[in-house]
């Protein structure tokens, strides 16, 4: 039998734990142990950044709209307000659903910053990942796209960087022309191609004005209303079940509540709508439904047999997005 190769012993740690920098997973650990970073000090760091935060936008104004823009809305922007104001040379910071070439962020030639929401992230805390990207974009040279990178486990979150008293007011766009500040004719070939692909794939979407975080969208066969709601899931399921059993969960003739998504710790009920029912036609039925839902949420009586069956059906038609 072959002899086991003796393990190499560390000569002497070169750095203290508090000074260990982040390096590539397969690179030697900077502490001098002789092991790869991922098997040494990187193990604790990896666990810290992959632990899933169920509600990354909790505590931010407009949490439901953050979820909608992350998961449901193709093209939208929101002007963000930073704590303490904007740094010198940064005229504005804008949240965007997605950016060209799937960039996590972009510092325009003007110094303005665009921060993308619909990007893959390196950790289980989307808020921390985006805060790290935002910090890098604020200090990047004008005209620089920001690439993704590993996020420190102890970095700030969006809740630490944004003004929590400022309004969060999404503007939904029909396409992604907001990528180019002047004219699409001035875009590079790569950005122009990315713009064309994104516009072709975008589903027409409109934010309702009469209720919070409800978004109408148009598809070839039928339209839908997707409504992000802030209530705890169990309480909301009970209320929806009461309405469903009573035959009052629809938004009018030809519409029906078909199920829900679960996204970033919140529920998103979904209604099928007739193809001829536009966003404006949804406004009044949605406002009336909000009143019925509030009454159902206020009830604390046990569910009836019919309501329990309705609740089971709603639960079975639930899909988890994130």
């Amino acid at each position: 039998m072959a002899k086991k190769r003796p393990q190499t012993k560390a000569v002497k740690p070169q750095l203290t734990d508090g000074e260990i920098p982040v390096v590539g997973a397969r690179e030697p650990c900077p502490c001098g142990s002789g092991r790869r970073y991922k098997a040494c000090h990187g193990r604790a760091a990896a666990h810290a950044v992959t632990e899933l935060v169920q509600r990354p936008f909790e505590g931010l104004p407009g949490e439901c709209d953050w979820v909608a823009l992350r998961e449901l809305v193709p093209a939208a922007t929101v002007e963000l307000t930073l704590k303490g104001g904007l740094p010198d040379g940064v005229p504005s910071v804008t949240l965007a659903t997605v950016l060209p070439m799937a960039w996590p962020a972009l510092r325009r030639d003007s110094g303005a910053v665009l921060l993308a929401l619909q990007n893959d992230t390196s950790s289980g805390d989307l808020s921390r990942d985006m805060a790290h990207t935002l910090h890098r974009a604020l200090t990047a040279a004008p005209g620089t796209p920001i690439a993704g990178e590993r996020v420190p486990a102890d970095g700030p979150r969006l809740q630490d960087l944004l003004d929590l008293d400022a309004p969060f007011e999404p503007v939904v766009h029909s396409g992604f022309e907001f990528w180019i500040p002047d004219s699409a004719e001035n875009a590079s070939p790569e950005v122009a191609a990315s713009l064309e692909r994104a516009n072709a794939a975008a589903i027409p979407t409109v934010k309702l004005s009469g209720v919070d975080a409800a978004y109408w969208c148009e598809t070839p066969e039928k339209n839908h209303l997707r409504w992000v709601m802030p209530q705890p899931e169990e309480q909301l399921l009970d209320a929806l079940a009461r309405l469903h059993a009573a035959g009052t969960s629809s938004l009018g003739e030809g519409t029906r509540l078909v199920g829900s998504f679960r996204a970033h710790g919140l529920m998103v009920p979904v209604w099928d709508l007739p193809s001829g029912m536009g966003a404006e036609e949804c406004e009044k039925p949605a406002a009336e439904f909000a009143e019925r839902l509030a009454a159902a949420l206020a009830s604390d009586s046990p569910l009836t047999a019919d309501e329990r069956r309705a609740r089971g059906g709603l639960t079975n038609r639930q899909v988890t997005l994130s």
Side-chain angles (χ1 to χ4, degrees):
M1 293 178 64
K3 293 183 179 179
K4 292 183 178 180
R5 180 181 296 178
Q7 293 186 349
T8 303
K9 296 183 179 179
V11 178
K12 189 189 296 184
Q14 300 172 354
L15 300 168
T16 66
D17 283 354
E19 299 171 333
I20 305 299
V22 175
V23 299
R26 294 180 176 274
E27 296 179 26
C29 187
C31 76
S33 67
R35 292 181 292 173
R36 290 178 177 177
Y37 179 73
K38 70 176 183 178
C40 192
H41 281 85
R43 182 177 298 172
H47 174 75
V49 298
T50 56
E51 188 174 352
L52 181 63
V53 175
Q54 296 289 343
R55 289 179 63 180
F57 307 120
E58 185 175 17
L60 291 174
E63 179 188 6
C64 293
D65 284 310
W66 279 90
V67 172
L69 268 55
R70 166 72 182 183
E71 300 294 341
L72 307 174
V73 181
T77 55
V78 186
E79 295 302 312
L80 298 180
T81 304
L82 305 185
K83 286 182 179 178
L86 294 167
D88 291 340
V90 180
S92 63
V93 175
T94 303
L95 181 72
T97 47
V98 69
L99 291 177
M101 317 299 290
W103 291 326
L106 171 66
R107 182 89 185 271
R108 291 194 191 278
D109 292 337
S110 65
V113 167
L114 291 178
L115 177 67
L117 184 53
Q118 296 178 15
N119 278 86
D120 293 334
T121 54
S122 63
S123 83
D125 187 351
L126 181 57
S127 177
R128 195 180 308 280
D129 288 346
M130 292 187 63
H132 180 71
T133 300
L134 174 57
H135 178 73
R136 292 169 57 215
L138 291 171
T139 56
T144 304
I146 308 302
E149 69 173 28
R150 183 179 297 181
V151 177
D154 58 351
R157 308 178 73 238
L158 289 172
Q159 289 82 346
D160 303 315
L161 301 184
L162 301 182
D163 183 348
L164 303 185
D165 295 323
F168 188 81
E169 300 174 342
V171 177
V172 178
H173 304 278
S174 59
F176 295 88
E177 282 72 19
F178 64 85
W179 285 354
I180 295 92
D182 300 320
S183 170
E185 297 177 357
N186 299 327
S188 68
E190 294 82 2
V191 171
S194 184
L195 174 63
E196 184 177 357
R197 289 192 300 270
N199 280 344
I203 296 174
T205 301
V206 177
K207 186 181 189 299
L208 299 194
S209 60
V211 294
D212 291 335
Y215 291 81
W216 170 93
C217 68
E218 179 183 18
T219 62
E221 296 184 358
K222 62 184 69 174
N223 299 339
H224 305 279
L225 184 70
R226 302 178 290 189
W227 192 340
V228 187
M229 297 186 172
Q231 295 86 1
E233 181 176 327
E234 297 303 312
Q235 180 185 0
L236 183 54
L237 278 170
D238 282 352
L240 291 173
R242 295 181 195 278
L243 297 179
H244 204 61
T248 58
S249 64
S250 76
L251 298 176
E253 184 178 355
T255 73
R256 70 186 183 102
L257 176 63
V258 293
S260 63
F261 298 127
R262 183 189 291 114
H264 304 290
L266 299 181
M267 267 187 65
V268 188
V270 178
W271 285 264
D272 277 353
L273 311 173
S275 58
M277 188 174 185
E280 290 186 5
E281 289 77 22
C282 287
E283 292 283 3
K284 183 178 178 181
E288 293 172 346
F289 177 85
E291 294 180 359
R292 297 196 299 273
L293 180 63
L297 287 165
S299 175
D300 57 1
S301 60
L303 296 181
T304 65
D306 287 344
E307 290 168 347
R308 288 196 300 271
R309 282 192 291 271
R311 192 185 196 280
L314 290 171
T315 303
N316 291 337
R317 296 194 299 273
Q318 200 171 37
V319 177
T320 299
L321 297 180
S322 56

